[in-house]
Amino acid sequence: RVHGGNVLFQCSLVMGQKLGTRVRVTNDEFGSDNKITTLCKRLTTEQITHLTLAYENIGAQGARQIAQVGKCPLQYLDLRNNQIGSEGTLFIASAIQTKTFPIQVLCLQENQIGVDGARFISLALQQNRTLTNLLLNGNQIGDEGTALICGAIQASRCSLTVLNLEANHIGRDGAHSIAAAIQSNNCLLRQLKLGFNEIDDAGALAVVSATQRHQCPLKLLALEDNQITDKGACHIASVVQTNNLSLRTLSLAYNSVSLHLQLVISDMVAMPHKPMRKNIFHRVKSTPSSHEKLKVFLLLAASCRWDEVVKQILSKLPSLLTHEIIS
């Protein structure tokens, strides 16, 4: 068994075998100029549509070489955690903007692109009509970079439907920029992940309230691990309860919301006539079994006294069974 497929991949380069349409390179220091050059040559000669080159420390120059391969049918590009920085982002963004790649999914997590990188991406989004999924989590773009991305989302040419901005030091100002983007009729976003940021009550309420616009396409909104308190959660619950939102999944997990209020609010938003499908205090993840669901719910109260946790759960047990808020 070859770990990550490295040896198989390198042998195919040497022996001239076809790589196929999907190439994944992992667990290998792939920063060597010769290897990158060889890969780029194959990109131009073979019909490679999916390329995963994550955790390989290719840097800005590796990104430049990939961006300059010329026309190719690349639809999926994963360059997460490669230290490409804002300079490398400029190269990739330019390739997207000039339609060198018919890219649909771009993964640039943990690349330290900063505000300048966000600016380059925003310019590309305003010209590109193929990119639908953009993952920028962990890139320190802050409120300023968020405003740039949101400005592009409001452009008529932007086709994004999935956006991940987790762990980007986004605060209230960034949240208001996001809210303005959601309210735009040009916004096509269906999934938006904003977890692990610094969004407070006012910012979170602005984002949730923005989903009230007519025919808003947003179905999933994740606000886990921000700075939302009991006050903010109550206002958000009021918006959810009194409006027929298009949202199907809303997560406020791992915020500073008391256990008692979690139970009360979950009752409020999980009534049978409401469209919300998920308990808003669960973290968004793949569909768990019923046993795992209870485990996730209990983890939310890990900082509480366990005798209080048990008391609250027992007192709410009839309601849990009636409204199925754990589902």
Side-chain angles (χ1 to χ4, degrees):
R1 180 173 181 178
V2 180
H3 289 289
N6 306 338
V7 176
L8 178 61
F9 172 74
Q10 292 174 22
C11 287
S12 68
L13 293 181
V14 174
M15 300 174 63
Q17 298 172 359
K18 283 187 175 294
L19 295 178
T21 60
R22 296 171 182 251
V23 177
R24 180 183 179 90
V25 183
T26 57
N27 303 324
D28 182 32
E29 281 298 319
F30 204 71
S32 166
D33 289 341
N34 291 334
K35 291 180 181 179
I36 285 285
T37 301
T38 304
L39 171 63
C40 290
K41 287 180 180 178
R42 302 299 290 270
L43 281 174
T44 59
T45 58
E46 300 186 18
Q47 298 298 304
I48 297 174
T49 59
H50 290 62
L51 175 60
T52 298
L53 195 60
Y55 302 95
E56 301 300 334
N57 197 29
I58 67 171
Q61 293 309 306
R64 177 182 63 82
Q65 288 184 269
I66 293 173
Q68 293 178 349
V69 299
K71 291 281 186 179
C72 72
L74 197 61
Q75 299 173 14
Y76 177 100
L77 179 59
D78 185 351
L79 295 179
R80 75 185 70 187
N81 210 324
N82 268 299
Q83 309 300 315
I84 69 172
S86 60
E87 183 183 359
T89 305
L90 173 60
F91 297 128
I92 298 297
S94 297
I96 294 172
Q97 189 171 355
T98 56
K99 302 177 183 178
T100 300
F101 307 141
I103 200 77
Q104 296 176 12
V105 180
L106 179 61
C107 307
L108 292 179
Q109 306 99 304
E110 302 289 347
N111 267 298
Q112 301 180 6
I113 73 171
V115 176
D116 288 338
R119 181 175 293 107
F120 301 142
I121 292 292
S122 70
L123 292 173
L125 288 175
Q126 295 177 50
Q127 299 298 322
N128 182 279
R129 285 186 176 275
T130 62
L131 185 62
T132 59
N133 293 37
L134 178 61
L135 282 66
L136 294 178
N137 33 314
N139 271 300
Q140 300 89 42
I141 68 173
D143 289 340
E144 185 178 353
T146 301
L148 292 167
I149 297 295
C150 290
I153 290 173
Q154 297 177 64
S156 59
R157 284 180 172 268
C158 183
S159 56
L160 279 186
T161 58
V162 177
L163 177 62
N164 190 327
L165 294 178
E166 292 179 337
N168 267 299
H169 304 295
I170 300 171
R172 181 184 296 185
D173 291 343
H176 282 289
S177 297
I178 292 166
I182 294 173
Q183 288 177 318
S184 168
N185 289 329
N186 289 328
C187 179
L188 303 177
L189 288 178
R190 294 179 61 84
Q191 296 184 25
L192 178 59
K193 293 191 174 184
L194 301 173
F196 311 98
N197 280 296
E198 300 156 15
I199 300 173
D200 62 7
D201 290 339
L205 180 60
V207 173
V208 176
S209 297
T211 65
Q212 297 178 69
R213 81 169 170 90
H214 181 59
Q215 294 183 337
C216 179
L218 195 64
K219 302 300 180 185
L220 181 150
L221 175 59
L223 287 164
E224 303 116 329
D225 202 350
N226 274 277
Q227 296 177 2
I228 303 169
T229 66
D230 284 3
K231 180 180 178 181
C234 284
H235 285 299
I236 290 171
S238 178
V239 171
V240 173
Q241 186 186 36
T242 58
N243 295 275
N244 187 22
L245 303 183
S246 62
L247 283 177
R248 292 297 181 271
T249 301
L250 172 63
S251 176
L252 301 180
Y254 304 112
N255 278 283
S256 300
V257 182
S258 64
L259 174 62
H260 175 72
L261 192 58
Q262 288 181 32
L263 292 167
V264 172
I265 292 176
S266 295
D267 274 346
M268 290 170 59
V269 301
M271 297 301 289
H273 66 281
K274 292 296 175 184
M276 197 71 65
R277 293 180 181 172
K278 299 283 187 180
N279 179 1
I280 65 175
F281 296 104
H282 285 175
R283 184 175 177 185
V284 175
K285 64 176 197 175
S286 57
T287 304
S289 67
S290 57
H291 193 64
E292 290 174 322
K293 293 172 190 175
L294 181 59
K295 179 180 178 183
V296 173
F297 176 73
L298 292 176
L299 282 174
L300 298 176
S303 61
C304 303
R305 289 179 53 190
W306 277 108
D307 56 343
E308 294 179 357
V309 173
V310 173
K311 181 179 178 181
Q312 292 290 347
I313 291 176
L314 290 177
S315 67
K316 286 290 181 178
L317 189 56
S319 178
L320 298 180
L321 295 176
T322 302
H323 302 309
E324 297 181 343
I325 68 168
I326 301 297
S327 64

